[in-house]
Amino acid sequence: MPAVPLPAGFVAHTGHAGLRPDGDDIAVFLSTRPCTSAGLFTRSRFSGPSVTLSRPRAVSGAARAVVVIAKNANVATGPQGFRDAEEVTALVARAVGIPVEEILIASTGVIGRPYPMDLLRAHLAGLPRARFDADAQQVARAMMTTDTVSKTAVQRAGPARVVGVAKGVGMIEPDMATMLAFVLTDAAADPATLAKLWERAVSDTFNCLSIDTDTSTSDTAVVLANGAAGPVSEAALAVALREVCLDLTLQLARDGEGATKLLTVTVRAAADEGQARRVAKAVVNSPLVKTAVHGADPNWGRVAMAIGKCQDDRDIDPERVVIRFGDLETYPDRPDEKGLASLAEIMAADHVEIEIELRTGSAESTVYGCDLSADYVRINADYTT
Amino acid sequence: MPAVPLPAGFVAHTGHAGLRPDGDDIAVFLSTRPCTSAGLFTRSRFSGPSVTLSRPRAVSGAARAVVVIAKNANVATGPQGFRDAEEVTALVARAVGIPVEEILIASTGVIGRPYPMDLLRAHLAGLPRARFDADAQQVARAMMTTDTVSKTAVQRAGPARVVGVAKGVGMIEPDMATMLAFVLTDAAADPATLAKLWERAVSDTFNCLSIDTDTSTSDTAVVLANGAAGPVSEAALAVALREVCLDLTLQLARDGEGATKLLTVTVRAAADEGQARRVAKAVVNSPLVKTAVHGADPNWGRVAMAIGKCQDDRDIDPERVVIRFGDLETYPDRPDEKGLASLAEIMAADHVEIEIELRTGSAESTVYGCDLSADYVRINADYTT
């Protein structure tokens, strides 16, 4: 993997604290100058101390450092879990000389186990002497749990760079944000503008991703902008943020647990964006659609079934709906034997695109997912054992 | 399988029309005397002609015969599909000498393929001379698609018998009814009472079942009461109907596609029944909970995650929630290493019971499902090919 340099004014440390047998499992990255921040977090009723602690700090608009811990979610760990998270950010604050309120924490892995605090304390004791020379690729790698590849994305916005890292391949149907995604930029942006651009970028990228309908307790999406590259047009920054988020979203979908294919579902001519997304999500989340895509089984009728699940959308009329796989219409113009053979070929590709026209209006939405394989079951049937 | 006689005044025919290579694939059953009926059907926006045609006939309260066709859903088949369904019920009407408005049709299997009308016409031409000597077991068998066992249930209500048959192992999260369920009784009940008792019985049995979150286009649950056994107390009939529906629901859950275990989730001390069912469904439908149950992986934290998905239930407080597997509390009293070993044993049983106390009120609900196995993927990755 080629190195992915951080934007100007950002540095990162990655290291092995011992949460996994081998490889980096802790990352700390920060802006060497004051910066602005925006963050979106899981709405889970069981969100953990990382989210509870980081949310107000990110939303304040002045966060400038993040510590990420892999293999342990520190969720459902009671009051001790909250004290542990506070201690970790305090140890990082002391080591890097930044006020603790400017330090965020993110953590994913097994739910319900306390942090191994002895290991974390021992590692963080060495942080003041540690080298902060990691690039974005190393940070992305240190964050991984069941991910099989690290995910980074880079865009330019005028003179500034926008660099994103993300992780997460299971327990993924983000509602406010995704598993873990961090975007760093040396563009300058005031907190209100940054919050607005971030919400817009996340809304139709990470929030349109579903690997398995299971919303994580730890979803966190944070952007830090330190202005080292000077002012940037809002439009250019908006485009760059969206492109970085979309790039990471596609990488997350392709690396879904056990996934062999990327599945995208676009709903057009919908009454409004809510309807478009509801129908698209019903299709991308249907285990029967996902298994058919996995097996390249030309069983297009399951898409009709999944659309039908949107029972409260009384304006959806089967006599007006059109369903396509790539360029091939499968409903109402049903494929014959030869058409089914073409459909099987389309479904055997490593990216399957389903397009639906509802003809209830003019809104549209695209969602991102993957197929469902026996490997997903295998990975998750013995995750902790 | 021992024979399961129909209630007095009901007869049935099963036969092989050729929709599957071997075995019965069509069933016709009817009351030999006038009877009352009640029916509940899928709310899918893509429901097929069987549902469209049967709904008003069942709801009229006077239906007395049903024709069931296996291996073809006759859904998403356009106007021709509707004409075909009408023709099938007309041919049955002529053969058995009952008005066509009293004949229901139900059909499950592949979506998007027209009926093989030549085969159906040929078989129904022989119906006037066919023997109507099938029992409930044979009817249940003729209805099966990917089911591995036939499902019947019997109860007494005073002098009357209540006999139910059902099928369906995939595309199962019924909203108004289940895949296909028919209950016959020789009790007497006026249509209004029957409709009321039926809705109550279905509500916390079939409507609390989810195998894979995919709501079928063909869900149909019909009860026929012909009064051959005379009047029965409403209370006795209500209990018998509920017990038959619950019995069939448990059989459907255990036979879920690829399932190796029955999974039941009970939520107690909830604010209202809606909340109890919402939380229970979130848990029973979570692919991560289902795969953990499959692998007997004592990863109880996934239940906390699934409860957390009910993001709009702002009154759910993780500090008040209790989670148990069988008798073993896993939250907030987290099991130690020895406890996790006991949990793995509990999860290795062929029936895993999860109990959740929300402590937001006093309502409760139980839902029924199964584990998620690699076989589910295998069965559905090449269903049509």
Side-chain angles (χ1 to χ4, degrees), chain A residues 108-109 145 167-172 174 177-181 216 218-221:
Chain A
T108 65
T145 48
K167 64 81 59 181
V169 285
M171 205 179 277
I172 299 277
T178 189
M179 200 75 186
L180 292 186
S216 162
S218 309
D219 292 341
T220 297

Side-chain angles (χ1 to χ4, degrees), chain A residues 377-385, chain B residues 260-261 287-299 302 343-349 352 371-374:
Chain A
V377 177
R378 253 172 253 126
I379 291 166
N380 287 302
D382 54 1
Y383 180 64
T384 65
T385 49
Chain B
T260 66
K261 303 176 193 188
L288 291 173
V289 171
K290 288 159 71 84
T291 47
V293 167
H294 180 61
D297 179 0
N299 198 345
R302 290 179 177 171
L343 178 54
E345 263 174 55
I346 288 170
M347 291 176 72
V352 175
D371 56 338
L372 172 61
S373 72

Side-chain angles (χ1 to χ4, degrees), chain A residues 42-47 75-78 80 110-114 170-173 175 212-217 257 282 285-289 291-292 294-319 321 323 331 334 337 340 372-385, chain B residues 42-47 75-80 110-114 170-173 175 212-217 257 282 285-289 291-292 294-318 321 323 331 334 337 340 372-385:
Chain A
T42 184
R43 291 175 61 220
S44 168
R45 299 300 303 146
F46 255 93
S47 60
V75 165
T77 44
Q80 186 60 46
V110 180
I111 292 172
R113 293 194 190 160
M171 205 179 277
I172 299 277
E173 183 174 10
D175 190 21
D212 57 7
T213 75
D214 272 344
T215 304
S216 162
T217 49
E257 282 176 341
N285 280 334
S286 158
L288 291 172
V289 171
T291 47
H294 179 61
D297 180 0
N299 198 346
W300 62 265
R302 290 179 178 171
V303 175
M305 175 280 298
I307 298 169
K309 288 166 73 175
C310 298
Q311 300 159 339
D312 296 324
D313 288 274
R314 311 295 301 173
D315 54 339
I316 296 179
D317 179 353
E319 298 197 5
V321 171
I323 301 172
Y331 180 85
R334 296 190 305 276
E337 283 304 313
L340 287 175
L372 173 61
S373 72
D375 276 343
Y376 177 89
V377 177
R378 253 172 253 126
I379 291 166
N380 287 302
D382 54 1
Y383 180 64
T384 65
T385 49
Chain B
T42 184
R43 292 174 60 219
S44 169
R45 299 299 302 146
F46 256 92
S47 59
V75 166
T77 44
Q80 186 60 47
V110 180
I111 291 172
R113 293 193 189 160
M171 204 179 276
I172 299 277
E173 183 174 10
D175 189 21
D212 57 6
T213 76
D214 273 344
T215 304
S216 163
T217 50
E257 282 177 340
N285 280 333
S286 159
L288 291 173
V289 171
T291 47
H294 180 61
D297 179 0
N299 198 345
W300 60 266
R302 290 179 177 171
V303 175
M305 176 279 298
I307 297 169
K309 288 167 74 176
C310 298
Q311 300 159 339
D312 296 324
D313 288 274
R314 311 296 301 175
D315 54 339
I316 296 179
D317 179 353
V321 171
I323 302 172
Y331 180 87
R334 297 190 306 277
E337 283 305 312
L340 288 175
L372 172 61
S373 72
D375 276 343
Y376 177 89
V377 177
R378 253 173 251 125
I379 291 165
N380 287 302
D382 55 2
Y383 181 63
T384 66
T385 50

Side-chain angles (χ1 to χ4, degrees), chain A residues 1-150:
Chain A
M1 287 279 185
V4 176
L6 297 172
F10 284 98
V11 294
H13 154 83
T14 62
H16 172 72
L19 287 102
R20 63 174 127 227
D22 301 298
D24 291 349
D25 47 26
I26 183 166
V28 178
F29 50 92
L30 56 100
S31 170
T32 56
R33 38 187 284 160
C35 75
T36 55
S37 64
L40 294 164
F41 296 84
T42 184
R43 291 175 61 220
S44 168
R45 299 300 303 146
F46 255 93
S47 60
S50 303
V51 167
T52 323
L53 205 62
S54 299
R55 194 191 319 253
R57 296 182 183 178
V59 171
S60 78
R64 61 188 269 209
V66 182
V67 50
V68 187
I69 292 166
K71 304 304 278 182
N72 184 315
N74 190 24
V75 165
T77 44
Q80 186 60 46
F82 196 82
R83 283 193 297 269
D84 289 347
E86 274 186 322
E87 182 181 341
V88 168
T89 60
L91 291 172
V92 171
R94 202 179 313 152
V96 300
I98 290 177
V100 70
E101 312 79 57
E102 297 179 8
I103 300 189
L104 312 181
I105 180 167
S107 202
T108 65
V110 180
I111 292 172
R113 293 194 190 160
Y115 274 151
M117 285 304 290
D118 290 351
L119 297 178
L120 288 174
R121 283 188 198 111
H123 185 81
L124 293 173
L127 198 59
R129 296 173 309 281
R131 288 205 287 189
F132 275 71
D133 58 358
D135 75 319
Q137 197 66 256
Q138 287 167 283
V139 170
R141 211 149 39 221
M143 302 188 337
M144 288 164 56
T145 48
T146 52
D147 303 62
T148 69
V149 292
S150 55

